[in-house]
Amino acid sequence: MLSENTLAPDFALPDAEGQVHHLSDFRGKKVVLYFYPRDNTPGCTRQACAFAASYGVFQQRGVVVIGVSKDSAASHQKFAAKYELPFLLLSDPDHAVLELYDVWKEKKQYGKVSMGTVRSTYLIGEDGTILKAMPKVKPDTNAADVLAALDALDAANG
């Protein structure tokens, strides 16, 4: 994981419609940048739906939610439509941004070793600094954990 209190690397990735977004486009707002393995898998669906269920709270707080995976824009389009996901899903098919954020790792499943996305989340401040790095997050609690981290940051900053 990248270190907290460091500048989050800027990137340019397309959304489900093919429009390119840069992290720097969101300066002045907090950003939840969550990385997940794959559209339409059970854990990733629960994670995305939890963010969707809490989306109104994130919006009220002026926080942008962005999901990133190596899935294609077309896959994101179907996933977002199927589950009515109200936030950006960005496509990183060559996993350049996944690597940049240190979430593209060797994984072992059923004794097989392969490279893949480790489910991780970054909370990025208005100035582009990483406020919270959350490795190996749980799909069911990730959105609530991010809201708790926002509460803790707000409390610490008075």
mmCIF file of all heavy atoms in Angstrom, residues 52-76:
data_model
loop_
_atom_site.group_PDB
_atom_site.id
_atom_site.type_symbol
_atom_site.label_atom_id
_atom_site.label_comp_id
_atom_site.label_asym_id
_atom_site.label_seq_id
_atom_site.Cartn_x
_atom_site.Cartn_y
_atom_site.Cartn_z
ATOM 1 N N ALA A 52 -23.145 1.865 -2.783
ATOM 2 C CA ALA A 52 -24.349 2.464 -3.374
ATOM 3 C C ALA A 52 -25.371 2.793 -2.283
ATOM 4 O O ALA A 52 -26.000 3.863 -2.316
ATOM 5 C CB ALA A 52 -24.954 1.523 -4.410
ATOM 6 N N ALA A 53 -25.526 1.906 -1.313
ATOM 7 C CA ALA A 53 -26.494 2.122 -0.229
ATOM 8 C C ALA A 53 -26.105 3.319 0.634
ATOM 9 O O ALA A 53 -26.971 4.004 1.178
ATOM 10 C CB ALA A 53 -26.608 0.864 0.629
ATOM 11 N N SER A 54 -24.811 3.574 0.760
ATOM 12 C CA SER A 54 -24.315 4.696 1.571
ATOM 13 C C SER A 54 -24.018 5.937 0.735
ATOM 14 O O SER A 54 -23.535 6.936 1.269
ATOM 15 C CB SER A 54 -23.027 4.279 2.298
ATOM 16 O OG SER A 54 -23.277 3.208 3.163
ATOM 17 N N TYR A 55 -24.289 5.873 -0.559
ATOM 18 C CA TYR A 55 -23.874 6.940 -1.460
ATOM 19 C C TYR A 55 -24.442 8.300 -1.067
ATOM 20 O O TYR A 55 -23.761 9.319 -1.152
ATOM 21 C CB TYR A 55 -24.251 6.590 -2.901
ATOM 22 C CG TYR A 55 -23.679 7.541 -3.915
ATOM 23 C CD1 TYR A 55 -22.301 7.607 -4.116
ATOM 24 C CD2 TYR A 55 -24.503 8.373 -4.660
ATOM 25 C CE1 TYR A 55 -21.763 8.482 -5.047
ATOM 26 C CE2 TYR A 55 -23.962 9.245 -5.589
ATOM 27 C CZ TYR A 55 -22.597 9.302 -5.782
ATOM 28 O OH TYR A 55 -22.060 10.171 -6.680
ATOM 29 N N GLY A 56 -25.688 8.327 -0.611
ATOM 30 C CA GLY A 56 -26.297 9.586 -0.189
ATOM 31 C C GLY A 56 -25.517 10.245 0.936
ATOM 32 O O GLY A 56 -25.347 11.468 0.954
ATOM 33 N N VAL A 57 -25.023 9.437 1.863
ATOM 34 C CA VAL A 57 -24.222 9.962 2.979
ATOM 35 C C VAL A 57 -22.897 10.517 2.455
ATOM 36 O O VAL A 57 -22.473 11.609 2.860
ATOM 37 C CB VAL A 57 -23.971 8.869 4.047
ATOM 38 C CG1 VAL A 57 -23.110 9.407 5.188
ATOM 39 C CG2 VAL A 57 -25.284 8.324 4.579
ATOM 40 N N PHE A 58 -22.271 9.786 1.544
ATOM 41 C CA PHE A 58 -21.021 10.286 0.957
ATOM 42 C C PHE A 58 -21.280 11.610 0.233
ATOM 43 O O PHE A 58 -20.510 12.562 0.366
ATOM 44 C CB PHE A 58 -20.406 9.260 -0.002
ATOM 45 C CG PHE A 58 -19.747 8.103 0.690
ATOM 46 C CD1 PHE A 58 -20.308 6.842 0.674
ATOM 47 C CD2 PHE A 58 -18.543 8.267 1.370
ATOM 48 C CE1 PHE A 58 -19.708 5.768 1.312
ATOM 49 C CE2 PHE A 58 -17.920 7.212 2.002
ATOM 50 C CZ PHE A 58 -18.507 5.956 1.979
ATOM 51 N N GLN A 59 -22.372 11.679 -0.517
ATOM 52 C CA GLN A 59 -22.707 12.913 -1.248
ATOM 53 C C GLN A 59 -22.942 14.080 -0.287
ATOM 54 O O GLN A 59 -22.458 15.189 -0.537
ATOM 55 C CB GLN A 59 -23.958 12.709 -2.100
ATOM 56 C CG GLN A 59 -23.681 12.085 -3.440
ATOM 57 C CD GLN A 59 -24.889 12.198 -4.342
ATOM 58 O OE1 GLN A 59 -26.002 11.833 -3.973
ATOM 59 N NE2 GLN A 59 -24.675 12.704 -5.543
ATOM 60 N N GLN A 60 -23.688 13.832 0.783
ATOM 61 C CA GLN A 60 -23.948 14.890 1.767
ATOM 62 C C GLN A 60 -22.647 15.436 2.345
ATOM 63 O O GLN A 60 -22.556 16.610 2.675
ATOM 64 C CB GLN A 60 -24.813 14.357 2.920
ATOM 65 C CG GLN A 60 -26.261 14.137 2.557
ATOM 66 C CD GLN A 60 -27.020 13.396 3.647
ATOM 67 O OE1 GLN A 60 -26.454 12.941 4.631
ATOM 68 N NE2 GLN A 60 -28.324 13.269 3.456
ATOM 69 N N ARG A 61 -21.657 14.572 2.449
ATOM 70 C CA ARG A 61 -20.371 14.977 3.011
ATOM 71 C C ARG A 61 -19.427 15.514 1.936
ATOM 72 O O ARG A 61 -18.282 15.846 2.230
ATOM 73 C CB ARG A 61 -19.743 13.791 3.747
ATOM 74 C CG ARG A 61 -20.598 13.379 4.942
ATOM 75 C CD ARG A 61 -20.031 12.219 5.668
ATOM 76 N NE ARG A 61 -19.016 12.686 6.590
ATOM 77 C CZ ARG A 61 -18.607 12.003 7.647
ATOM 78 N NH1 ARG A 61 -19.137 10.821 7.912
ATOM 79 N NH2 ARG A 61 -17.671 12.481 8.431
ATOM 80 N N GLY A 62 -19.890 15.568 0.703
ATOM 81 C CA GLY A 62 -19.066 16.086 -0.387
ATOM 82 C C GLY A 62 -17.943 15.159 -0.787
ATOM 83 O O GLY A 62 -16.911 15.602 -1.299
ATOM 84 N N VAL A 63 -18.142 13.850 -0.573
ATOM 85 C CA VAL A 63 -17.104 12.856 -0.857
ATOM 86 C C VAL A 63 -17.441 12.124 -2.164
ATOM 87 O O VAL A 63 -18.554 11.644 -2.352
ATOM 88 C CB VAL A 63 -16.981 11.836 0.300
ATOM 89 C CG1 VAL A 63 -15.941 10.770 -0.005
ATOM 90 C CG2 VAL A 63 -16.648 12.552 1.607
ATOM 91 N N VAL A 64 -16.454 12.050 -3.047
ATOM 92 C CA VAL A 64 -16.586 11.347 -4.319
ATOM 93 C C VAL A 64 -16.203 9.881 -4.110
ATOM 94 O O VAL A 64 -15.206 9.586 -3.454
ATOM 95 C CB VAL A 64 -15.649 11.982 -5.380
ATOM 96 C CG1 VAL A 64 -15.692 11.210 -6.681
ATOM 97 C CG2 VAL A 64 -16.008 13.438 -5.599
ATOM 98 N N VAL A 65 -16.992 8.967 -4.673
ATOM 99 C CA VAL A 65 -16.693 7.529 -4.594
ATOM 100 C C VAL A 65 -16.326 7.048 -5.994
ATOM 101 O O VAL A 65 -17.060 7.288 -6.954
ATOM 102 C CB VAL A 65 -17.892 6.720 -4.060
ATOM 103 C CG1 VAL A 65 -17.598 5.221 -4.074
ATOM 104 C CG2 VAL A 65 -18.278 7.187 -2.662
ATOM 105 N N ILE A 66 -15.180 6.366 -6.077
ATOM 106 C CA ILE A 66 -14.698 5.829 -7.355
ATOM 107 C C ILE A 66 -14.241 4.388 -7.138
ATOM 108 O O ILE A 66 -13.399 4.126 -6.268
ATOM 109 C CB ILE A 66 -13.512 6.652 -7.902
ATOM 110 C CG1 ILE A 66 -13.894 8.125 -8.089
ATOM 111 C CG2 ILE A 66 -13.006 6.050 -9.214
ATOM 112 C CD1 ILE A 66 -12.715 9.024 -8.426
ATOM 113 N N GLY A 67 -14.774 3.476 -7.949
ATOM 114 C CA GLY A 67 -14.323 2.094 -7.943
ATOM 115 C C GLY A 67 -13.442 1.848 -9.152
ATOM 116 O O GLY A 67 -13.730 2.344 -10.240
ATOM 117 N N VAL A 68 -12.367 1.079 -8.959
ATOM 118 C CA VAL A 68 -11.440 0.772 -10.056
ATOM 119 C C VAL A 68 -11.192 -0.730 -10.098
ATOM 120 O O VAL A 68 -10.907 -1.349 -9.073
ATOM 121 C CB VAL A 68 -10.084 1.499 -9.870
ATOM 122 C CG1 VAL A 68 -9.120 1.143 -11.010
ATOM 123 C CG2 VAL A 68 -10.263 3.000 -9.766
ATOM 124 N N SER A 69 -11.301 -1.293 -11.296
ATOM 125 C CA SER A 69 -10.906 -2.688 -11.516
ATOM 126 C C SER A 69 -10.333 -2.810 -12.928
ATOM 127 O O SER A 69 -10.378 -1.859 -13.702
ATOM 128 C CB SER A 69 -12.098 -3.635 -11.348
ATOM 129 O OG SER A 69 -12.918 -3.607 -12.492
ATOM 130 N N LYS A 70 -9.846 -3.992 -13.244
ATOM 131 C CA LYS A 70 -9.279 -4.203 -14.570
ATOM 132 C C LYS A 70 -10.340 -4.573 -15.604
ATOM 133 O O LYS A 70 -10.039 -4.787 -16.768
ATOM 134 C CB LYS A 70 -8.164 -5.247 -14.536
ATOM 135 C CG LYS A 70 -8.590 -6.640 -14.164
ATOM 136 C CD LYS A 70 -7.381 -7.572 -14.123
ATOM 137 C CE LYS A 70 -7.785 -8.998 -13.833
ATOM 138 N NZ LYS A 70 -8.520 -9.638 -14.899
ATOM 139 N N ASP A 71 -11.600 -4.584 -15.187
ATOM 140 C CA ASP A 71 -12.686 -4.888 -16.122
ATOM 141 C C ASP A 71 -12.795 -3.818 -17.209
ATOM 142 O O ASP A 71 -12.406 -2.669 -17.007
ATOM 143 C CB ASP A 71 -14.017 -4.968 -15.380
ATOM 144 C CG ASP A 71 -14.072 -6.145 -14.423
ATOM 145 O OD1 ASP A 71 -13.992 -7.284 -14.902
ATOM 146 O OD2 ASP A 71 -14.184 -5.908 -13.206
ATOM 147 N N SER A 72 -13.380 -4.198 -18.324
ATOM 148 C CA SER A 72 -13.574 -3.274 -19.441
ATOM 149 C C SER A 72 -14.674 -2.261 -19.126
ATOM 150 O O SER A 72 -15.496 -2.471 -18.228
ATOM 151 C CB SER A 72 -13.972 -4.061 -20.691
ATOM 152 O OG SER A 72 -15.272 -4.614 -20.513
ATOM 153 N N ALA A 73 -14.699 -1.193 -19.897
ATOM 154 C CA ALA A 73 -15.751 -0.192 -19.762
ATOM 155 C C ALA A 73 -17.120 -0.834 -19.998
ATOM 156 O O ALA A 73 -18.088 -0.532 -19.287
ATOM 157 C CB ALA A 73 -15.515 0.962 -20.735
ATOM 158 N N ALA A 74 -17.220 -1.739 -20.959
ATOM 159 C CA ALA A 74 -18.488 -2.415 -21.250
ATOM 160 C C ALA A 74 -18.949 -3.246 -20.052
ATOM 161 O O ALA A 74 -20.139 -3.256 -19.704
ATOM 162 C CB ALA A 74 -18.348 -3.295 -22.487
ATOM 163 N N SER A 75 -18.029 -3.922 -19.406
ATOM 164 C CA SER A 75 -18.360 -4.697 -18.214
ATOM 165 C C SER A 75 -18.857 -3.775 -17.103
ATOM 166 O O SER A 75 -19.857 -4.062 -16.437
ATOM 167 C CB SER A 75 -17.126 -5.480 -17.746
ATOM 168 O OG SER A 75 -17.387 -6.138 -16.527
ATOM 169 N N HIS A 76 -18.157 -2.656 -16.909
ATOM 170 C CA HIS A 76 -18.577 -1.677 -15.901
ATOM 171 C C HIS A 76 -19.980 -1.148 -16.198
ATOM 172 O O HIS A 76 -20.784 -0.952 -15.283
ATOM 173 C CB HIS A 76 -17.600 -0.497 -15.844
ATOM 174 C CG HIS A 76 -16.334 -0.767 -15.110
ATOM 175 N ND1 HIS A 76 -16.164 -1.800 -14.220
ATOM 176 C CD2 HIS A 76 -15.156 -0.090 -15.110
ATOM 177 C CE1 HIS A 76 -14.940 -1.759 -13.712
ATOM 178 N NE2 HIS A 76 -14.309 -0.733 -14.247
#
